[in-house]
């Protein structure tokens, strides 16, 4: 091959011959940036680099690179390897190395969300490489392209064969692939080519339960976690955060150098910290200084007891443009029926609350370069924001990622909060600085999953079917990507969330994200009213109760009121809640899934409430509840079985069954584990979790004030997977499991007692009060 070859929009070049070795690599080509010799925006975007996307080496090894990080989902090390191996038609064992997250060693960026949707990048790159290799093999074998077969990494025709390794032996081959997007924005890059994919019917690797190879080294103590990273001359830091979300620093406390001889107090605007060569000294000194530090008073948060009223009033005061649902149809206001269900539903602020607080080690060098060692969910985006804060080019910032505390969503688009603080402190003291947040820092200053309020009305016709559905949702903006340390220090950050912000996901308008699934309902009206984050405009820091996406963002907040209201409507109609849903969905996949859920969960066909349901007494009452959801081409249904002791309000989730149809299942074992984890998170949110706050600050600062599900409360959990490869896509959305659990559990409580509980969490006090007031 002398002249470049066009491979479905990509370009295959021979870059040279090698005495030994050889490789076929995939690199990127951004519009307007030539692939060869281009000046990079950042190291990982350098199209002239040979190490990008996928490398096929002459020794038979294949290396993957992805900007996505693994937060315990395992997708990076299992599904991504399976996708690439399947499209390349090589054994899974050929994929020897996976590099993820590092901004200087990975190409695509984008947040660690929608992993299988982003997996299309790898799928396309692997397919393009296969097509390129197939073309080369045909030429080397002297056979027509159509007559060359490929199995297990071996090209064969006319009695001759070549492996991938032999194909690239002695050559330096480069496949330049067109991409679009922006590397350092949350959505990252996307491959701008459409190669033919391997037919699903020929899959041999996808669909297999492949163990996660990253678990063994973690269990064996071989994995380097972010907290393990050390640098020569490194200092430890503890940050002293303001007294409230709007307090400014009046006077820093004194640092007793006699007691803490090697510690140093650093003040950068309202960012106050103690650094020390000794971590324990930093901890003790910071606590001593904090006790003596004076902050201005601030009380700009509403009364938590009146949170629901505030959410509704804020929608009117802020006057954000309303967002209409995509499924809206018919004239809801003109529908009259035999019965109408009207109710208001509410959910609290939730915390990401990782078991381990966040750690970052930053090294700002005299030459202006900065390196962060952190546990980020969006390293490229973090790089952009750190560069903005420092006023330097993005190419001067490198983010290296490591395993850390598991969480879903986390504080912002890339940072947990400690990253920017570590960078600012490192710059201030001219040494590498390791910042570890204490539990109270994480709980008090990381972002929250926002509280929400929804007013619903469902009109039933004479036959007990839904004639009209109307929902009005009120919720503060979901996303605040601003770096809190930079805000405290008075450094530059991106614009605050507002109705006009266009950076990334910062916009505070409220979309209707919960996909409408009841296709037979003739009239639907859903409206979303966004608002500023609580306290955001009043706080001198511009902070307030900052929000960010957490597992099943927005859809969780909108699915709970919808599914709980559907269960109430079924009770009003005197229908079985599961059959009621079957009567209103028109998608065959949902019908099949609900039928399977009914068979697998032990669902008893009957209307709610359960026979003998009681809202009083000391005898535990039994109930069943159901919910459904459509997310990212994944169909989901859940049945919960609970017991409730009316006299105490104690709810016990005894059994949960989740049925899923996600189309092509890449790794059944890992999908099952993700669903189990998501479901348990949902049970925890349904029963316990709630961020408490006073007039100025979050008061849920530890595990006693923010309780989560305990091992003793684990329910029996059953996962039912429906393999539906015929749909042809990798449906995802396993995070849906958490959003399914809450409405199913609440509906089961209603089934057991006859009383609907329309707010979360189902803590004993709330449940008891509702039963007393309405029983």
């Amino acid at each position: 091959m002398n002249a470049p070859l066009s491979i479905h929009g990509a370009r295959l070049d021979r870059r040279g011959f090698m005495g030994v070795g050889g490789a076929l690599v995939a690199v990127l080509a951004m519009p307007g940036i030539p692939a060869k010799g281009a000046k990079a925006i950042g190291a990982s975007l350098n199209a002239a680099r040979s190490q990008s996307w996928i490398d096929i080496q002459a020794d038979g090894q294949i290396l993957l690179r992805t900007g996505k990080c693994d937060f315990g989902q395992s997708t990076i090390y299992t599904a991504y390897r399976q996708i690439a191996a399947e499209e390349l038609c090589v054994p899974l064992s050929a994929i020897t190395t996976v590099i993820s997250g590092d901004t200087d060693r990975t190409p695509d960026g984008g947040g660690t969300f929608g992993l299988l949707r982003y997996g299309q990048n790898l799928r396309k790159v692997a397919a393009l490489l296969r097509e390129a290799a197939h073309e080369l093999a045909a030429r080397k074998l002297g056979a027509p392209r159509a007559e060359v077969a490929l199995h297990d990494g071996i090209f064969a025709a006319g009695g001759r064969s070549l492996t991938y390794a032999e194909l690239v032996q002695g050559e330096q081959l480069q496949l330049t692939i067109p991409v679009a997007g922006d590397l350092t924005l949350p959505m990252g890059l996307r491959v701008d080519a459409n190669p033919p994919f391997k037919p699903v019917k020929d899959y041999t690797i996808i669909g297999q339960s492949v163990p996660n190879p990253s678990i063994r080294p973690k269990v064996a103590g071989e994995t380097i976690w972010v907290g393990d990273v050390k640098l020569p001359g490194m200092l430890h830091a503890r940050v002293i955060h303001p007294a409230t979300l709007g307090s400014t620093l009046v006077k820093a406390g004194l640092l007793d150098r006699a007691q803490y001889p090697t510690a140093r107090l650093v003040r950068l605007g309202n960012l106050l910290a103690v650094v020390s060569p000794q971590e324990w000294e930093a901890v003790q000194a910071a606590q001593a200084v904090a006790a003596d530090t004076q902050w201005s008073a601030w009380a700009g948060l509403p009364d938590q007891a009146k949170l629901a009223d505030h959410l509704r009033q804020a929608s009117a005061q802020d006057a954000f443009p309303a967002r209409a649902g995509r499924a809206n149809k018919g004239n809801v206001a003109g529908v009259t029926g035999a019965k109408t269900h009207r109710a208001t539903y509410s959910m609290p602020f939730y915390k990401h609350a990782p078991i381990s607080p966040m750690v970052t080690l930053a090294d700002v060098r005299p030459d202006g370069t900065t390196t962060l060692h952190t546990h980020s969910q969006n390293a490229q985006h973090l790089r952009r924001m750190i560069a903005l804060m420092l006023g330097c080019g993005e190419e001067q910032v490198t983010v290296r990622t490591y395993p850390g505390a598991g969480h879903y969503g986390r504080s912002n688009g890339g940072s947990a909060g400690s990253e920017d603080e570590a960078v600012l402190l490192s710059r201030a003291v001219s040494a590498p600085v390791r910042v570890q947040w204490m539990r109270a820092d994480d709980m008090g200053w990381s972002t929250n999953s926002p509280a929400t309020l929804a007013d619903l009305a469902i009109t039933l016709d004479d036959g007990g079917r839904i004639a009209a559905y109307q929902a009005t949702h009120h919720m503060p903006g979901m996303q605040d990507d601003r770096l809190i340390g930079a805000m405290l220090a008075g450094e530059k950050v991106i614009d605050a969330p507002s109705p006009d912000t266009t950076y990334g996901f910062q916009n505070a308008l409220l979309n209707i994200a919960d996909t409408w699934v009841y296709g037979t309902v003739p009239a639907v009206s859903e409206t979303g009213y966004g608002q500023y984050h609580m306290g955001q405009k009043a706080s001198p820091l511009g902070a307030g109760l900052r929000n960010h996406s957490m597992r099943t963002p927005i859809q969780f907040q909108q699915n709970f009121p919808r599914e709980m209201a559907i269960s109430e409507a079924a009770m009003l109609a005197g229908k079985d809640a599961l059959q009621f849903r079957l009567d209103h969905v028109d998608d065959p996949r949902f019908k099949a899934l609900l039928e399977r859920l009914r068979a697998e969960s032990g669902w008893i066909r009957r209307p709610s409430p359960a026979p003998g349901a009681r809202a009083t007494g000391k005898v535990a009452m039994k109930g069943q509840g159901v919910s459904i959801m459509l997310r990212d081409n994944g169909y989901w249904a859940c049945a919960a079985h609970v017991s409730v002791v009316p006299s105490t309000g104690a709810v016990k989730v005894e059994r949960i069954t989740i049925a899923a149809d996600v189309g092509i299942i890449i790794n059944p074992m890992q999908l099952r584990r993700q669903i189990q984890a998501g479901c348990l998170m949902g049970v925890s949110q349904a029963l316990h979790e709630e961020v408490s706050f006073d007039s100025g600050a979050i008061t849920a600062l530890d595990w006693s004030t923010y309780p989560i599900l305990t091992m003793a409360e684990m329910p029996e959990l059953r996962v039912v997977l429906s393999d539906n490869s015929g749909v042809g896509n990798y449906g995802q959305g396993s995070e849906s499991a958490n959003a399914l659990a809450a409405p199913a559990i609440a509906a089961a409580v209603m089934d057991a007692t006859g009383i609907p509980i329309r707010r979360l969490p189902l803590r004993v006090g709330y449940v008891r009060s509702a039963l007393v007031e309405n029983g």
Side-chain angles (χ1 to χ4, degrees), residues 108 193 269 305 708:
D108 55 338
I708 59 176

Side-chain angles (χ1 to χ4, degrees), residues 362-380:
D363 186 9
V364 180
R365 307 305 296 269
D367 63 1
T369 60
T370 297
T371 302
L372 280 79
H373 304 269
T374 187
H375 178 53
S376 172
Q377 77 165 79
N378 194 341
Q380 295 285 4

Side-chain angles (χ1 to χ4, degrees), residues 673-745:
R673 289 176 176 174
Q674 291 176 15
I675 293 171
Q676 290 169 338
C679 181
L680 291 177
M681 178 178 176
V683 174
S684 182
Q685 290 175 301
L687 296 185
H688 297 299
E689 298 185 38
E690 178 178 22
V691 174
S692 58
F693 56 90
D694 59 20
S695 59
I698 289 172
T699 55
L701 299 177
D702 53 34
W703 297 124
S704 63
T705 48
Y706 191 83
I708 59 176
L709 194 73
T710 66
M711 294 293 287
E713 297 174 298
M714 293 268 286
E716 177 187 342
L717 181 53
R718 177 176 171 78
V719 176
V720 180
L721 302 180
S722 296
D723 189 359
N724 199 355
S725 301
V727 302
N729 59 42
Y730 309 144
Q732 54 174 11
S734 57
E735 61 182 342
S736 304
N738 84 311
L740 288 164
I745 292 170

